[in-house]
Amino acid sequence: MLYDQKLLFTPGPLTTSASVKQAMMKDIGTRDTAFNDLVQSIRGKLLTLGQTDAYTHSVVLLQGSGTYGVESVLSSTIAPTGKVLILENGAYGKRMAEICEKAHIPFEKKSFSMIRSLPLDEIEEDICKHDITHVAFVHCETTAGVMNDLEGIMNIINKHKKISIVDAMSSFGGFPIPIKALDIDYLITSSNKCLHGVPGVALIFAKKETIGSCKGICRSLSLDLYEQYRYMEEQNGAFRFTSPTQVLAALETAIDELIHTGGIEKRHQTYAGLQKSIQKEMEALGFQTLVKLKEQSVIITTYVIPEHFDFCDFYEYMKAHGFLLYSGKLPSYDAFRIGNIGEITQEDVNAMLACAASYVKEWSACR
Ligand SMILES: *Cc1c(COP(=O)(O)O)cnc(C)c1O
C-alpha cells in the first residue's frame, strides 16, 4: 500500500473500488462535448436506476456534499407563502429544520424517536393541515440506521396532494426506489453512499412539473436548484460553475459497476448478507442492537455500548488493525455504529469481526 489504507465500515464516504479510484487519474475539460456526454450519461443512468424517465423527472447534479443538495431543494422550492412539514426522527431531519431556520423558510417540525421508524398513524394529522404545502423526511435515517416506510409515507403525502421532499442519501443505490410510481417530487442522494462513488456531488431527482414553477424562489445563486436544472437541461448537461470533474468520472464508473454487478436489488441483498454476518457475530460477542432489527436498515447497525466498555479504546484498536468503525457518537444514546456499505467483501467483514472478537476476548479476560 502506498499510504495508510483502511477499510471503512462507515455509512460514507466509504471504501471505493480500484477502478473508481483509477477513473479519477485524468484531467477533464468541462467546456467540451466529452464532458457533456459524461454528465448526460450519468443523468440517464440515474433515471433508470430510480425507475423513472426524462419525461417525468430530471436529475440535477450539484457540486458539494449531500447537505448541499438538501439545502438546495429546501431553499429553491418552498415559496414564502408555502410551508414545509419536516417529519424528523434523527440528526438529518433536524438538519433540514436547521436549514429552514437559517434561510427563513416557513417550516413546522414534528419530532419522533430516532430509534423507531416514523409512525404512519401519527403523521397524517399533520400532513393534512391546509397550510402545509410540502412534506420533507429522510428515507433511511443514518443516525441510528432506522428505515422509514417510504411507500407508506408517500401514500399519505400524495393522498393530501402535498409536494414531497425525500432525503434518500443513504438509501438510493442500496434499496430499489420506484421514484415515478411513488410520484416523488424531489429525491436527494449523493455520490458517496450506496452508489459507491467518491464525495463531491449531490444528485437531485426533480419532478419536472413541480420544479418548473420554482423560478425566482431561491435566495442563493449557487444553490438555486431551478437555475441549475434549467442550465443542465438547456446546455446539454453543463454545470453553471466549475464542476467536480474527477468526482463525476468516478461516479460514472461506480454506476457502471453497480449495473454490471446485478443492479440495486442485488446490492441490497449483498448488504443484507454482510449485515447478517456482522449482527450474528456481534450478538455472540454480547453486543445488543439499539434498534429493533426489523426497523434497522441493511446499511448500518447500531450497537449499545456495554457497561464498562471503552468504545474509544476499541475504536483505536480496530483502527490500528485497519478497520475504521463509525466513531460519531449518537445524540443521547451510548451507542456506536458499524456500516457495511462500500466495496467491502465477506472476507473483509470476517476479518473485521475476528479483530473485534479478539479485542472483546481480551477485554472480558481482564475484567
Ligand atoms: C450522509 C447523509 C446526508 C448528507 O450529509 P453530508 O455530510 O452533507 O454528505 C444527509 N442525509 C442523510 C440521511 C445522510 O445519511
Side-chain angles (χ1 to χ4, degrees):
M1 285 282 169
L2 279 176
Y3 59 100
D4 190 19
Q5 177 69 63
K6 307 254 187 270
L7 280 174
L8 304 184
F9 287 85
T10 60
L14 35 67
T15 309
T16 55
S17 71
S19 41
V20 164
K21 292 182 189 78
Q22 192 63 39
M24 295 187 288
M25 300 288 280
K26 60 180 177 239
D27 304 309
I28 304 163
T30 54
R31 303 286 167 203
D32 179 73
T33 52
F35 178 72
N36 293 116
D37 292 346
L38 169 68
V39 177
Q40 297 298 57
S41 156
I42 290 172
R43 296 174 76 214
K45 286 170 186 166
L46 285 171
L47 284 173
T48 306
L49 288 173
Q51 300 177 46
T52 182
D53 52 53
Y55 180 74
T56 317
H57 286 93
S58 173
V59 176
V60 187
L61 311 186
L62 185 75
Q63 303 93 323
S65 78
T67 303
Y68 290 67
V70 177
E71 184 148 13
S72 169
V73 171
L74 289 169
S75 50
S76 305
T77 67
I78 300 152
T81 49
K83 190 180 201 182
V84 59
L85 169 69
I86 299 167
L87 302 169
E88 173 269 300
N89 62 334
Y92 293 101
K94 287 196 176 76
R95 190 177 293 175
M96 285 179 168
E98 238 177 278
I99 289 169
C100 290
E101 218 155 51
K102 271 235 178 257
H104 304 289
I105 297 162
F107 76 101
E108 200 173 299
K109 182 178 72 167
K110 179 101 180 188
S111 295
F112 298 92
S113 164
M114 69 177 222
I115 62 170
R116 301 298 311 270
S117 303
L118 289 171
L120 293 191
D121 53 341
E122 288 176 46
I123 57 178
E124 185 159 11
E125 56 179 324
D126 289 288
I127 291 175
C128 74
K129 284 184 191 160
H130 64 255
D131 61 333
I132 296 296
T133 52
H134 296 64
V135 181
F137 65 99
V138 178
H139 181 203
C140 169
E141 241 305 351
T142 323
T143 316
V146 163
M147 207 61 207
N148 287 319
D149 177 359
L150 180 65
E151 193 182 339
I153 300 168
M154 281 308 306
N155 285 343
I156 301 173
I157 295 174
N158 290 334
K159 176 177 155 195
H160 295 285
K161 298 192 165 49
K162 310 294 182 180
I163 293 168
S164 50
I165 299 174
V166 183
D167 172 346
M169 215 66 71
S170 62
S171 57
F172 189 83
F175 299 80
I177 303 179
I179 295 177
K180 184 168 176 148
L182 292 177
D183 200 17
I184 296 171
D185 292 289
Y186 301 101
L187 180 138
I188 309 122
T189 188
S190 72
S191 51
N192 62 285
K193 289 190 174 167
C194 299
L195 290 173
H196 295 190
V198 302
V201 68
L203 318 165
I204 300 144
F205 288 82
K207 194 168 152 193
K208 287 183 170 172
E209 194 189 325
T210 318
I211 184 72
S213 59
C214 294
K215 187 178 168 66
I217 293 178
C218 194
R219 287 169 158 269
S220 155
L221 181 70
S222 56
L223 291 178
D224 193 329
L225 183 69
Y226 177 84
E227 293 302 333
Q228 189 88 345
Y229 156 72
R230 290 303 316 158
Y231 201 84
M232 263 190 188
E233 290 286 325
E234 284 164 13
Q235 308 286 327
N236 195 26
F239 282 64
R240 288 177 301 155
F241 312 119
T242 298
S243 50
T245 46
Q246 279 81 3
V247 172
L248 295 169
L251 180 60
E252 168 152 75
T253 302
I255 289 173
D256 286 343
E257 284 179 359
L258 169 60
I259 295 166
H260 294 141
T261 52
I264 291 178
E265 189 72 56
K266 179 73 192 341
R267 181 161 287 180
H268 183 85
Q269 289 163 12
T270 304
Y271 289 164
L274 295 176
Q275 185 188 46
K276 209 168 179 182
S277 54
I278 292 173
Q279 167 53 17
K280 194 170 159 223
E281 177 66 8
M282 291 298 282
E283 195 180 346
L285 292 176
F287 291 97
Q288 288 181 340
T289 55
L290 180 69
V291 175
K292 283 195 190 119
L293 282 178
K294 70 177 199 337
E295 293 176 51
Q296 182 91 66
S297 71
V298 298
I299 67 150
I300 194 168
T301 317
T302 305
Y303 291 100
V304 178
I305 298 176
E307 228 181 310
H308 309 304
F309 187 82
D310 184 349
F311 175 71
C312 291
D313 192 55
F314 176 55
Y315 177 83
E316 289 301 329
Y317 178 89
M318 296 299 285
K319 180 173 153 185
H321 289 81
F323 307 107
L324 269 199
L325 303 184
Y326 199 39
S327 68
K329 259 201 68 176
L330 260 77
S332 61
Y333 289 98
D334 252 354
F336 68 94
R337 294 162 282 181
I338 301 181
N340 54 267
I341 58 177
E343 295 295 323
I344 46 174
T345 62
Q346 185 65 54
E347 287 70 43
D348 296 330
V349 166
N350 294 347
M352 181 275 289
L353 291 169
C355 187
S358 68
Y359 179 90
V360 171
K361 213 167 154 189
E362 243 173 77
W363 172 70
S364 314
C366 61
R367 284 177 71 205

